[in-house]
Amino acid sequence: MHNKDQSLDRRALPIRHDDEDDDEIDLLQLWHTLWRRKWSILSLVVVVVMLTTLVVLSITPIYRAASTLLIEQKAAKVVSIEQVYGLEGTGNEYLQTQFELLRSRSLAERVVRELDLATHPEFDPRQQPEPFIQLDPRALLERFDFAKALPLTLPQDLEEAPAATEDQLFDSVTRAFMERINVEPQGKTQMVRIEVEMADARMAARAANALAKGFIESQLEARMDMSMTATNWMNSRLGELRDKLKSAEDRLQAYREQENLVDVQGVATVTANELSLTGDRMIDARRQRAEAESQYRQVQSMRSGGWEKLATVPAVLGHPLIQQFKAEEARARAKVEELSKRYGPRHPSMESARTELKAATASLRGQVEQIVAGIERNYQLAVANENSLRASFDANKAQIQNISRKEFRLRELQREVETNRTLYDTFMNRLKETAATSDLESANARVVDEATVPVEAVKPRKSLIVGIAGLLALFVGIGLALLVESLENTFKSTEDVETKLNLPVLGILPLVKGRPDGSRLAHLFHANSDKAFAESVRTVRTSLVLADMSTPHKRIVVTSSVPGEGKTSVSANLAYALAQVGDKVLLIDADMRRPTLAKNFELPVGTPGLANLIAGNARLEDCIKHLDGVDLLAAGTVPPDPLELLSSPRFAALLDTLSAQYTRIIIDTPPTQAVSDPMVLGTLADALVYVIKSDSTATPLAIKGVGQLLQHNAPVTGVVLNQVDVKKAQRYGYRYGGYYDYYGYSAQKA
């Protein structure tokens, strides 16, 4: 059949979830959501703004008074006493130190005492009004008369808290006043702005001026205290230095007398000169001793060879006498050799010549021995001379070292005396300067602008607070609206149905005013008492008829997700609407577990119906009732297993028989999430109408129910959105056609 093919094509369409669109933000949808809840958001904003306005108006205004100080980095230099005061502050560290002094507790205590702020109503807790909300349990019990009925013992009853002392009160007032002080540097200048915030504008100005003047006076007092402290300290220190100087001078004089020191520098100079001369002589003596020792060593090495060997020593050979005697010996030897050539050995001339040679040789030998003896004596004298000069040099050196030690000790005592005298003179000069400037008042700060009484309050900024509160309330309202919208998973409009189920909407049925019973709802179309409802049913009828013009839907199954969505009323009114256009309509109550059509049409109890007809214990003529142009086949006697009857071949054969007799057969079935009867009946139908209750049916239930029907090849034709609150829908921005306005559902008439 052609209608079967169309149903299969529709069932092949999956339920569209638009996964790709889930990551995108639909601004138009967000705008519609916010527009639907605009009155709730505006109400929240109005309430918050009103409450904030009341709270802001009840807050005590705070005034700010400010005075300006100029803080110089260096004080005026009258005399050089900065080292005493330590006021050579330079750079940013000095200014930061002064700013911290302005915030100090000592300055705040000075102002509190000066202005007697401990008795001011703004600071004195004894003059503060009692809080509106009592946190004391005893006070609460007494207020509600619970203390008499319940004799309770509270911890504060066991040990009474002592009253605050004057010191504690002064401490709390000082801390509270310090919290109201603000010190703000003025850019990169040396000026600072002292601000005080109080509810009393006049007192705030007085406090700001008192802080500025108190800072200057505290600086002057600190200078005076430092000057007095320095004077006292220097007086005591001067006495100690005087004693040290006297002791050092006494030790110096005693040492001079002990060592008989008159001119240590002169003695040391003479001794140093002698030591230098002795050193030079000792060097010459060492050189002479070395030369004599060299000659002596040569002579000693040749002594074993006789005087002839000694005569060959360079020191002996180079002596003039030795050379002279050697020459005479050589002449005598030459004469002997010459005469020996002419005369014999016995010749008198030869004898005379040999005698002369012997005499010359003897003279040479004697002279050699004398020179050798002289070399030995020279060596001994050189050694003795060197030893004597070394002893003299060591004595002079020891004398110089002794003089140096005495000179070092003398200079040490002299330095101690000079140091003590310098310290004494320095402290004496500083003491004179301090005494001369002790009464000089020179502050490093001055008041540039005194604080004036402020006219306008700085706190609270009422318009800003109210504006911020309204803006926050708007954001919170928008967030809550979006949160509520995201938490709601029901169907509110036809767009929700088409988007979430991918099914066409056959029509919508408006919510009937009041709470009519089932009998009235079943006859509402026939009675024509509600024009809008009747027109809506006609729209559903038209949509259903036009769903498949080639092959009319004979078997129409009506179901829903859960009970209470109005499927039975839709079935009954749809049957009347189809009968109105001339169709022969049979309305079957297939909900055998909770049959309601018999009750709605006021049939007698025990009237046979579908169950009896399938079971074969009743005739068709006895089961079908003719009511106002519509035939009704009630559920009949409720069987123990309705699904077995509906799944039997006899039921299918019965539908074929009834299809031949009627133009339209409308079957009211149980909900899909209650039992599986709709799946069985859907396979036998030509069209299936799914009823969804507006703003009630959960989206997951409807998706699950439609999915189950499609899985069993049920011909799901479309959806009827039932019990739509038209007034509420119009407030939310939904429009469902102009005929609702015609029938009295416009927002103006509402």
Side-chain angles (χ1 to χ4, degrees), residues 403-523:
I403 293 174
S404 298
R405 284 192 294 270
K406 292 180 180 180
E407 183 181 7
F408 178 79
R409 177 59 179 167
L410 181 63
R411 290 180 179 178
E412 181 181 1
L413 294 175
Q414 288 176 346
R415 283 196 302 270
E416 184 178 0
V417 171
E418 292 173 358
T419 302
N420 290 327
R421 181 176 290 111
T422 301
L423 288 176
Y424 180 79
D425 293 341
T426 301
F427 269 79
M428 179 62 72
N429 294 332
R430 293 294 183 266
L431 180 60
K432 292 178 180 179
E433 292 176 359
T434 304
T437 60
S438 60
D439 56 346
L440 178 63
E441 296 183 357
S442 169
N444 62 330
R446 59 186 178 87
V447 179
V448 177
D449 293 326
E450 291 189 351
T452 58
V453 179
V455 179
E456 297 182 357
V458 294
K459 296 180 182 178
R461 301 177 64 178
K462 300 179 182 179
S463 58
L464 180 61
I465 294 176
V466 173
I468 292 177
L471 189 61
L472 292 177
L474 178 61
F475 290 154
V476 171
I478 292 174
L480 291 176
L482 296 177
L483 178 62
V484 171
E485 184 69 19
S486 63
L487 294 177
E488 289 185 356
N489 59 347
T490 58
F491 298 91
K492 300 181 179 62
S493 64
T494 58
E495 290 80 2
D496 292 345
V497 176
E498 294 173 352
T499 300
K500 298 175 181 178
L501 298 180
N502 196 21
L503 291 174
V505 178
L506 302 177
I508 64 171
L509 299 181
L511 180 65
V512 180
K513 299 178 181 179
R515 291 186 178 180
D517 54 9
S519 176
R520 180 188 170 190
L521 285 176
H523 296 81

Side-chain angles (χ1 to χ4, degrees), residues 555-570:
R555 304 173 185 178
I556 303 173
V557 174
V558 181
T559 186
S560 64
S561 301
V562 292
E565 294 183 283
K567 59 178 181 56
T568 301
S569 302
V570 171

